């Protein structure tokens, strides 16, 4: 195949892929207007009546010292639930997560431009494509009867607290780390910003904070052995970030709300010994969680789409402009994911099963799969024959066709629940309760919300009892 024909094939493939991505995103956007609150979302909406500052004070004093997570929840979940039109209430956090994950992928890969599109158009196209792939990663198991992943799939889709607490803050903090790591700031400025970034991590959640500390320590040991000439300012950033994480964690742990919550869990002194023995298996359990997150149809479909696209682009474009070959990114993300999974398992020993804490693990695994697939595609891009190029083009387009179908399935789930929700209780088994329990706090907060904003009549089931 001549160079001209190669460019034409790649251009046609990219246009086809982007067209399918736009179709899928359009379907997903329509579906997101049907999302409605569930579980903790009722609570966040009620507390948001105090306004942003008042809500933050309420959380800090009564429930949680995780200021970053609570700020994200209040701004993107609680306030929209209270003041936005119903089609936009849960739409906001769901679509913000979509954009933030797509943007994180672009920054993580270090992409300058895609093919010959202008840089801005390339970034918009990239964010939409990687956001679409995030949906593909999450929802593909639904199309294949993925019962083992049902909780996390439905949770991230319908329970917006998971997006605002466990997806958006970690993704933005990772972006901040990457931008600072690549910057040319002096040691003092880099150290100060690294410290602030670390404080934010420590205040974003205990699991994320302790996982970050463990990862910085282990990564620091490895870099000390393998990269002794690592720039001094980058080592300063790592050290000041770790210090900031410790400060943030301390503030969070000793906040009045965190102490109240810890007291609610309680500690059974008779179970202390058994729990100490339980810690002996947390690493194997964390590794198992990581491997399960890496082994499902969503991962395969992401690979099927990303590798061909990267390879085709690399065959006609400078590999450097596409981010270059950096396998270390995937390894670092996977090691961070392992730390997160392990710390999450450790937390469950004391607070009980909490599958939602694996939400950040899904984000980290997705980013690792994307970076590994992109790097693999770039690695083979310069060695493509005409037949291989054609086969890759067909593979990428076919994968996107499947992805469109996956998004349709998820959208149907959103629409069906909205119909049920608008008329009464709408449980999402097995992940969340709704207003079905007459003694439940979900019903209590919904009754308060009804007094604060327009709302459908969902309480007819009470009058029938």
């Amino acid at each position: 195949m001549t160079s001209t024909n190669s460019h034409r094939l790649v251009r046609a493939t990219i246009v086809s892929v982007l067209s399918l991505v736009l179709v899928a995103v359009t379907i997903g956007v329509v579906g997101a207007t049907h999302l409605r609150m569930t579980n903790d979302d009722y609570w966040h909406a009620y507390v948001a009546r105090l306004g942003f500052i008042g809500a933050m004070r309420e959380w800090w004093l009564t429930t949680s010292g995780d200021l970053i997570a609570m700020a994200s929840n209040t701004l993107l979940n609680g306030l929209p639930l209270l003041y936005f039109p119903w089609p936009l209430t849960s739409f906001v956090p769901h679509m913000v997560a979509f954009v933030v994950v797509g943007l994180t992928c672009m920054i993580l890969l270090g992409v300058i431009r895609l093919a010959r599109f202008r840089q801005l158009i390339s970034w918009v196209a990239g964010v939409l494509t990687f956001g679409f792939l995030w949906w593909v990663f999450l929802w593909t198991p639904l199309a294949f009867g993925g019962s083992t992943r049902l909780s996390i799939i439905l949770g991230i889709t319908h329970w917006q607290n998971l997006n605002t607490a466990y997806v958006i803050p970690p993704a933005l903090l990772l972006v901040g780390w990457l931008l600072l790591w690549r910057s040319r700031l002096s040691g003092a400025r880099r150290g100060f910003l690294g410290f602030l970034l670390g404080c934010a991590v420590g205040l974003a959640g205990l699991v994320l904070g302790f996982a970050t500390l463990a990862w910085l320590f282990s990564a620091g040991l490895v870099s000390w052995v393998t990269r002794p000439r690592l720039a001094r300012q980058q080592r300063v950033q790592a050290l000041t970030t770790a210090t900031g994480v410790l400060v943030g964690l301390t503030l969070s742990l000793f906040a009045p709300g965190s102490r109240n919550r810890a007291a609610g869990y309680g500690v059974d002194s008779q179970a202390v010994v058994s729990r100490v023995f339980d810690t002996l298996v947390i690493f194997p359990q964390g590794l198992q969680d990581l491997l399960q997150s890496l082994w499902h149809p969503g991962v395969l479909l992401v690979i099927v789409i990303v590798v061909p696209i990267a390879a085709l682009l690399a065959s006609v474009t400078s590999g450097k402009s596409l981010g270059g070959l950096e396998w270390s990114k995937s390894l670092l993300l996977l090691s961070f994911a392992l730390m997160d999974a392990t710390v999450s398992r450790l937390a469950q020993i004391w607070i009980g099963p909490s599958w939602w804490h694996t939400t950040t693990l899904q984000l980290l695994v997705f980013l690792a799969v994307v970076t590994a697939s992109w790097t693999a595609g770039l690695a083979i891009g310069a060695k493509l024959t005409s037949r291989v190029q054609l086969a890759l083009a067909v593979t990428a387009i076919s994968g996107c066709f499947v992805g469109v179908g996956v998004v349709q399935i998820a959208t149907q789930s959103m629409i069906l629940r909205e119909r049920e929700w608008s008329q009464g209780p709408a449980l999402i088994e097995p992940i969340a309760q709704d207003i079905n329990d007459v003694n439940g706090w979900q019903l209590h907060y919904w009754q308060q919300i009804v007094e604060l904003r327009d709302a459908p009549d969902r309480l007819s089931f009470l009058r029938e009892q």
Side-chain angles (χ1 to χ4, degrees):
M1 186 180 292
T2 65
S3 176
T4 301
N5 289 337
S6 292
H7 278 79
R8 288 176 178 172
L9 175 63
V10 173
R11 189 179 302 113
T13 302
I14 297 303
V15 169
S16 299
V17 166
L18 289 178
S19 297
L20 291 169
V21 167
L22 288 174
V23 170
V25 171
T26 301
I27 294 171
V29 166
V30 172
T33 63
H34 292 273
L35 288 169
R36 295 294 184 268
M37 64 172 75
T38 190
N39 220 27
D40 286 25
D41 299 338
Y42 291 103
W43 192 6
H44 286 287
Y46 175 70
V47 176
R49 80 195 187 283
L50 302 172
F52 178 73
I53 300 300
M56 294 301 294
R57 182 176 182 275
E58 178 77 5
W59 290 119
W60 176 264
L61 292 177
T62 65
T63 308
S64 175
D66 299 337
L67 288 180
I68 298 300
M70 291 300 104
S72 175
N73 254 317
T74 302
L75 286 173
L76 300 175
N77 196 13
L79 290 172
L81 286 171
L82 206 58
Y83 297 110
F84 283 20
W86 283 111
L88 297 181
T89 50
S90 294
F91 173 94
V92 171
H94 182 78
M95 292 309 301
V96 168
F98 169 91
V99 173
V100 166
V101 173
L103 183 63
T104 303
C105 287
M106 291 292 287
I107 294 175
L108 186 62
L109 295 174
V111 176
I112 298 175
R113 62 180 182 177
L114 298 175
R116 296 179 180 178
F117 294 150
R118 294 179 180 179
Q119 188 169 347
L120 178 60
I121 300 299
S122 299
W123 273 77
V124 172
V127 169
L128 291 176
T129 301
F130 288 117
F132 159 70
L133 290 172
W134 170 238
W135 287 350
V136 166
F137 172 83
L138 291 175
W139 296 338
T140 298
L142 276 177
F144 294 87
S147 58
T148 58
R149 292 183 57 79
L150 192 59
S151 292
I152 197 68
I153 295 169
L154 296 178
I156 296 177
T157 302
H158 293 280
W159 186 4
Q160 297 311 311
N161 175 60
L162 301 193
N163 281 315
T164 49
Y166 301 108
V167 174
I168 296 171
L172 290 177
L173 290 169
L174 177 59
V175 166
W177 169 270
L178 290 169
L179 294 178
L180 185 58
W181 189 262
R182 297 170 184 170
S183 72
R184 297 181 180 179
L185 293 176
S186 63
R189 292 181 179 179
R190 181 188 292 270
F192 177 69
L193 291 176
F195 175 78
L196 292 181
L197 183 66
C199 287
V201 171
L203 291 168
L206 298 182
V207 171
L208 179 64
F210 282 111
T212 301
L213 278 180
W215 181 81
L216 285 172
F217 176 76
S218 58
L221 287 178
V222 173
S223 66
W224 181 64
V225 174
T226 61
R227 301 180 65 186
R229 296 184 181 181
L230 186 67
R232 178 180 177 276
Q233 57 265 34
Q234 291 177 327
R235 293 189 186 278
V236 168
Q237 178 182 333
L239 180 60
T240 55
T241 299
T243 304
V245 173
L246 280 171
V247 172
L249 283 172
T250 301
L251 291 173
S252 180
L253 283 168
F254 287 95
S258 296
R259 286 182 291 171
N260 287 342
R261 195 165 189 173
Y265 287 122
V267 177
D268 182 358
S269 58
Q270 296 181 352
V272 169
V273 175
S274 65
R275 289 179 177 182
V276 169
F277 283 109
D278 287 341
T279 62
L280 300 177
V281 298
I282 61 167
F283 184 82
Q285 289 175 339
L287 180 60
Q288 180 183 18
D289 290 341
L290 174 61
L291 293 177
Q292 287 178 343
S293 298
L294 278 168
W295 186 253
H296 61 84
V299 172
L300 178 60
L301 189 53
V302 169
I303 294 172
V304 164
I305 295 172
V306 174
V307 171
I309 291 175
L312 290 170
L313 288 172
S315 69
V316 296
T317 312
S318 167
K320 186 176 181 180
S321 68
L322 297 172
L325 299 177
E326 296 188 48
W327 293 101
S328 59
K329 290 179 182 178
S330 299
L331 294 175
L332 289 171
L333 285 165
L334 284 176
S335 65
F336 194 4
L338 179 58
M339 295 297 177
D340 184 84
T342 303
V343 173
S344 178
R345 280 288 184 172
L346 179 62
Q348 289 184 40
I349 293 176
W350 305 101
I351 64 176
S354 47
W355 56 266
W356 52 90
H357 284 167
T358 65
T359 304
T360 303
L361 172 63
Q362 310 311 312
L363 170 68
L364 295 170
V365 168
F366 170 72
L367 295 175
V369 171
V370 166
T371 53
S373 301
W374 189 262
T375 305
L378 298 185
I380 66 175
K383 307 172 184 179
L384 301 182
T385 65
S386 58
R387 290 184 177 180
V388 173
Q389 280 185 316
L390 182 59
L392 289 175
V394 172
T395 300
I397 294 171
S398 300
C400 288
F401 264 116
V402 176
V404 172
V406 166
V407 174
Q408 286 180 308
I409 292 173
T411 296
Q412 290 173 356
S413 169
M414 301 173 194
I415 293 173
L416 290 174
R417 181 174 186 268
E418 189 271 336
R419 291 175 182 172
E420 185 180 1
W421 184 91
S422 63
Q423 299 174 15
L427 281 73
I428 309 174
E429 296 181 354
I431 72 160
Q433 291 294 312
D434 201 64
I435 62 172
N436 53 292
D437 184 355
V438 295
N439 297 313
W441 52 266
Q442 292 91 346
L443 176 60
H444 169 74
Y445 287 133
W446 172 251
Q447 290 173 320
Q448 302 302 315
I449 291 168
V450 168
E451 301 296 324
L452 300 171
R453 63 158 300 158
D454 65 292
D457 180 9
R458 305 178 60 214
L459 302 180
S460 59
F461 75 99
L462 291 177
R463 294 190 290 270
E464 296 171 357
Q465 292 181 357

